[in-house]
Amino acid sequence: MGTVLRRVALWPLDAVLPGAALALMLTLPLIEMLLRPLLGMGIANAPVFVQHAGLVLAMFGALVAERGGHLTSLGAGFAGSADPRLRRWAALWARTGSAVLCGMLAQASASFLLAEMQAPRPIAYGMPGVWFVAAMPLGFVWLGLRFAWRLEWLEGRFQLPLRVATLLLPLLGWLFAGQFDGQTLALWPFALGLVLLLLCGAPVFTVLGGLALALFWSEGQPLAAVPLSHYQITVNPSLPALPLFTLAGLVFARTGAAARLGVLFTALFGGGVKGTAVAAAVLCSCFTALTGGSGVTILALGGLLLPLLMKAGFPERRGIGLVTSASALGVLLAPSVPLIMYAIIARVPINTMFLAGVLPALVMVFFLLVVGGYLRRDGQTTKPEALAAARPDFAATRQAAWVAKWEILAPVVAVGSLVGGFATPTESAALTAAYALFTQCLLHRELDVRGILRLFTECAQVIGGIMLILGMALGLTNYLVDAGIPDLAIEWVQSVLPNKWAFLIALNLFLLLAGALMEIYAAIVVLVPLLLPIALAYGIHPVHFGIIFLANLELAYLTPPSGMNLYFSSAMFRKSLREVAVAVLPAALAIFLGVLTLSLLPFLSTWLPGVVLGV
């Protein structure tokens, strides 16, 4: 017990609150599931409590993400310049502007908090909701202070006093927002400054939040509308599924699950050219769906799969191309984080999207392997040992399946409990995360207390940054909806594109370009609210649109300059970015053809949900 307490005491301070919130989000739904059949009732208002714990996770998880350098930015821009002086000035402007913007967002959040205090609402057992709302101004202030403290231009004998003085930057933002709240200010100076911030590598959430504030300023409206939107999306009933499925995926990614599944898939499909290629593609896709990140898949499986591919006869470059591209294809499979995010933003049931992604995912894997040419022996050496191992080994498959039985059952737990109606999305996610922790900690004994705390911290840092982007993007979206921008966009697009098929082609080209420039989560939260109404106006089903959108984002993982898989592969395999980009080019072309197929054949997306759920 003393050892456990000492390890908990070593937990970073900023990770304690989001870690505790995540633990509550995990345990309360499980208790609910146990109490309902036993007592006929659960815990009063437990789902609402879990949703508000998500607000704490979002705000303080963002602090963990900032400490680890994982707050999402749109692209490198000036921050990626070869000139060190330009990089330094870009970092200076990004952090200065972010500190000031966080001060503005903190003041707007404080205004929202004061409004809530005038009509307090209890969450559960008399606990007031304002306790959770207070996380917003406190979190934004803390983030602003972090950005200010990390300014790198402070040198010399007066470094400490100057550094302390920079902590006034969030205060300046607070005072400015408080002075001009409700007044009308010109939009263009803010817009120019925010574009510069974006190019300098500022976090996406600060730019989106700043733009939302500027738009409300331009109309003379109260700034509290921005934190109100953040609050609304964060306490969405489906949102707790996001961190819990992420936690489950991280558990499998940080243990020996990848190696066990690798042995199973290799034995199942055979060790020859075709079998190893199919095994690699299917394994990478499934693992990305579980972990929520294709980069994680490359790091977890790359060192395992590339030697297997080369042993089967693949040249190194083709093997790198297959692993890099296949790792992008899990976005459409449950329970991937982008799939859940789209369901939340588009207000489509999560279980519907889980079913909708199954056939399209198989189609994408088919196009990668067949159209991409990875099943051909052309250009591949035929080694005697590869030919000998070409056939599936069913005895080895049975043995490997027994060893990996707990990992095999994970998707059954995740999808079966939700689609079967036994659990809500949050309960299904909690059950999956608990299952992952139980199997990897107690049955495989590959995680100890320190490892669990590290995973909770990692989950908080991943989810904190994503949920901040979600909240700020919703504030921007609400303004655009109030201003009638989607209606104007529908009228303009319909005047330019005469029918649905022309729109679908234009949509894919636009998403290809946008995906090359935007990080996947930023693309979902910014573009879905704008493009979905246009798609609906053309009679496109929201489920079909979601599959098209997410399939394009799979391709975006392989498209520079924001194609993250290229960077992960370059680091993992120690190859230049150019070599990796050339290696994935045939796969990228094949995946693009798969995207067009999904666009033109909507039944691939809607048939399975219709059969199972009657959607």
Side-chain angles (χ1 to χ4, degrees), residues 10-27:
L10 293 175
W11 217 4
L13 179 61
D14 58 5
V16 173
L17 278 176
L22 183 58
L24 281 173
M25 296 171 73
L26 172 63
T27 54

Side-chain angles (χ1 to χ4, degrees), residues 406-427:
W406 304 119
E407 287 78 20
I408 297 171
L409 290 174
V412 178
V413 173
V415 181
S417 60
L418 182 58
V419 175
F422 306 116
T424 66
T426 298
E427 290 170 350

Side-chain angles (χ1 to χ4, degrees), residues 62-63 66 71 102 139-147 205 468:
L63 287 165
E66 191 282 331
L71 285 175
C102 282
F140 281 124
V141 166
W142 199 342
L143 277 169
L145 293 174
R146 283 274 189 88
F147 287 127
F205 88 87
L468 262 189

Side-chain angles (χ1 to χ4, degrees), residues 73-108:
S73 58
L74 195 62
F78 298 140
S81 171
D83 186 347
R85 290 176 300 178
L86 183 58
R87 286 201 309 271
R88 187 177 182 184
W89 280 105
L92 170 65
W93 176 247
R95 289 171 184 163
T96 301
S98 297
V100 174
L101 285 171
C102 282
M104 294 180 182
L105 291 168
Q107 194 282 330

Side-chain angles (χ1 to χ4, degrees), residues 51 82 120 131 142 199 215 232 331 379 434 447 463 466 506 543 552 559 562:
Q51 294 158 26
W131 289 6
W142 199 342
L199 293 175
L215 289 169
Q232 289 173 336
V331 170
L447 278 177
I463 292 301
I466 292 173
V543 170
N552 272 282
T559 311
S562 291

Side-chain angles (χ1 to χ4, degrees), residues 94-172:
R95 289 171 184 163
T96 301
S98 297
V100 174
L101 285 171
C102 282
M104 294 180 182
L105 291 168
Q107 194 282 330
S109 300
S111 298
F112 174 61
L113 174 62
L114 291 174
E116 287 289 300
M117 291 174 66
Q118 294 175 5
R121 294 172 295 172
I123 297 300
Y125 303 103
M127 185 179 297
V130 293
W131 289 6
F132 295 91
V133 176
M136 287 197 290
L138 181 59
F140 281 124
V141 166
W142 199 342
L143 277 169
L145 293 174
R146 283 274 189 88
F147 287 127
W149 186 257
R150 295 189 191 280
L151 289 170
E152 297 177 351
W153 59 274
L154 304 167
E155 297 176 354
R157 58 187 300 183
F158 299 111
Q159 179 178 359
L160 183 59
L162 287 172
R163 190 174 291 279
V164 172
T166 60
L167 298 181
L168 296 175
L169 287 173
L171 177 61
L172 291 176

